[in-house]
Amino acid sequence: MKTIKYSKITPESVYKNRRSFLKRLGFGASTLAFSSIPLINNGFAKDRNELTSYKDITTYNNYYEFGTSKGDPYKNSQTFKTTPWEISIEGEIDKPIKLSMEEISETFLSEERIYRLRCVEGWSMVIPWLGFSLSDLLSKVKPTSKAKFVEFESVYDPEQMKGQKYPVLNWPYKEGLRIDEAMHPLTTVVTGLYGKKLPNQNGAPLRIFIPWKYGFKSAKAIVKIKFVEKMPMSSWMWASPREYGFYSNVNPNVNHPRWSQATERIIGEGIWAPRVKTLMFNGYGEEVANLYTGMDLKKNF
Ligand code: MTE
């Protein structure tokens, strides 16, 4: 199992050195955070680009299968078994397939992708993910003419995931995208972060990441991708349809019914640090706004 080119990957300490090195050369923070990533736009304001520390990324998590407090996933997921692991692609396609983690690692090359995660709760992190475009994986199958959406399903294993013994969500965790959203090159299959294997609390061995949508769209520990005709019902739509719509694009102009989405708190800066303005589509508008041309994004929230 070897897909990650370690020479290409930058550990946390090297990121920091490179940052001060580039600063000395007169490059701004934005040049540096995105220097190795062709897919990233440069829509962030200068003060928004600092990478979040490995510690914060791996100890401040949402993963309700392991508990509902931010520290629970780190505490409760360490012994979670991620081998063997298989992912099935099925539904409205010519021929369903199953791929083992080994096959995925051998077939798809993970690269470093630095994307901002904006949680619907009003905080954000900048994470150096490792991964590849979901479109690479999905192009291995042939959808039928009925296929309009894809549904992602996380693993169901209440023995290992004690949170699944409580009906906070309708387990297994489910999310969905329109096919064109799923095929967008920014939509990523994540296999690691900070040059390391993906930690259990961040969704090992494989999770989805959609940079322009609120974090909850990015399902962890997925075992199934299903092509479907009808818009899937995600776990959060099921839990509270008034608060969580299918699209869930980061949108500072559409408030959550219980709080504003205009600004965000940057994790790692401390709770007294000033909040920063949230950008439309989380700053990826140039790349993705055209997916929503003509749609009323207040109605389709
Ligand atoms: N996936 C599963 N299976 N279960 C979850 O509870 N939480 C979501 C998302 N994916 C969640 C999930 C939410 S609310 C967020 S903000 C992100 O994961 C958090 O990802 P991170 O912990 O890697 O930062």
Side-chain angles (χ1 to χ4, degrees):
M1 175 179 140
K2 177 76 190 79
T3 51
I4 300 165
K5 285 224 175 83
Y6 278 95
S7 57
K8 277 196 165 172
I9 301 214
T10 327
E12 191 175 7
S13 58
V14 182
Y15 276 110
K16 295 220 164 99
N17 288 340
R18 188 172 67 185
R19 176 169 297 125
S20 55
F21 173 68
L22 288 170
K23 261 190 193 144
R24 269 189 277 127
L25 289 178
F27 289 100
S30 56
T31 328
L32 124 99
F34 303 119
S35 55
S36 57
I37 322 293
L39 284 172
I40 309 288
N41 75 15
N42 51 11
F44 299 136
K46 270 223 162 48
D47 59 343
R48 309 165 56 98
N49 289 322
E50 283 289 310
L51 290 182
T52 306
S53 72
Y54 184 81
K55 183 158 182 244
D56 281 336
I57 295 170
T58 57
T59 57
Y60 189 91
N61 299 101
N62 275 332
Y63 200 168
Y64 280 21
E65 285 88 334
F66 290 108
T68 52
S69 299
K70 297 287 179 267
D72 287 345
Y74 169 73
K75 276 198 299 225
N76 301 331
S77 72
Q78 296 311 314
T79 57
F80 177 61
K81 233 177 130 265
T82 57
T83 48
W85 197 272
E86 207 174 56
I87 170 161
S88 125
I89 309 182
E90 54 186 65
E92 289 296 340
I93 54 177
D94 276 4
K95 217 169 112 224
I97 55 169
K98 284 192 170 148
L99 292 167
S100 68
M101 234 355 247
E102 287 76 18
E103 286 169 317
I104 289 177
S105 303
E106 277 157 23
T107 315
F108 305 99
L109 182 73
S110 286
E111 62 184 7
E112 194 178 77
R113 296 179 165 205
I114 300 173
Y115 297 145
R116 171 175 297 269
L117 182 153
R118 168 61 157 84
C119 179
V120 75
E121 296 162 341
W123 50 264
S124 68
M125 301 187 184
V126 178
I127 304 178
W129 301 106
L130 291 178
F132 56 90
S133 290
L134 175 64
S135 60
D136 293 348
L137 178 60
L138 297 186
S139 63
K140 299 280 173 213
V141 299
K142 207 162 157 265
T144 70
S145 59
K146 281 193 185 157
K148 300 279 183 305
F149 297 88
V150 290
E151 181 180 79
F152 304 102
E153 195 174 301
S154 300
V155 68
Y156 181 69
D157 187 348
E159 277 321 301
Q160 290 200 81
M161 301 173 133
K162 300 292 184 223
Q164 289 181 332
K165 294 189 193 271
Y166 304 89
V168 228
L169 293 171
N170 61 335
W171 310 112
Y173 195 96
K174 283 188 187 163
E175 261 307 334
L177 293 173
R178 238 170 36 196
I179 285 186
D180 58 342
E181 297 178 313
M183 294 303 284
H184 192 282
L186 282 173
T187 301
T188 300
V189 177
V190 169
T191 56
L193 58 87
Y194 263 117
K196 300 183 176 68
K197 227 173 85 201
L198 193 61
N200 286 347
Q201 60 272 29
N202 293 91
L206 209 68
R207 59 100 58 93
I208 300 296
F209 188 72
I210 308 133
W212 70 96
K213 293 181 183 272
Y214 290 118
F216 66 85
K217 291 296 286 182
S218 297
K220 297 179 170 182
I222 59 160
V223 289
K224 196 190 284 181
I225 300 176
K226 194 171 171 188
F227 284 76
V228 294
E229 186 176 2
K230 303 240 162 66
M231 182 182 282
M233 166 78 83
S234 69
S235 293
W236 285 104
M237 288 163 78
W238 175 89
S240 185
R242 198 173 69 88
E243 296 176 296
Y244 307 108
F246 177 77
Y247 284 94
S248 303
N249 290 320
V250 174
N251 189 340
N253 309 315
V254 176
N255 289 335
H256 185 281
R258 288 183 282 141
W259 57 80
S260 160
Q261 293 292 23
T263 63
E264 64 205 56
R265 179 169 74 85
I266 294 181
I267 297 299
E269 290 193 347
I271 50 168
W272 305 115
R275 296 172 69 90
V276 299
K277 271 194 172 165
T278 288
L279 300 179
M280 187 65 199
F281 297 118
N282 203 20
Y284 302 94
E286 223 172 89
E287 290 86 347
V288 302
N290 66 325
L291 295 174
Y292 309 102
T293 310
M295 275 178 74
D296 178 345
L297 296 181
K298 286 212 158 81
K299 235 164 83 195
N300 297 287
F301 62 91

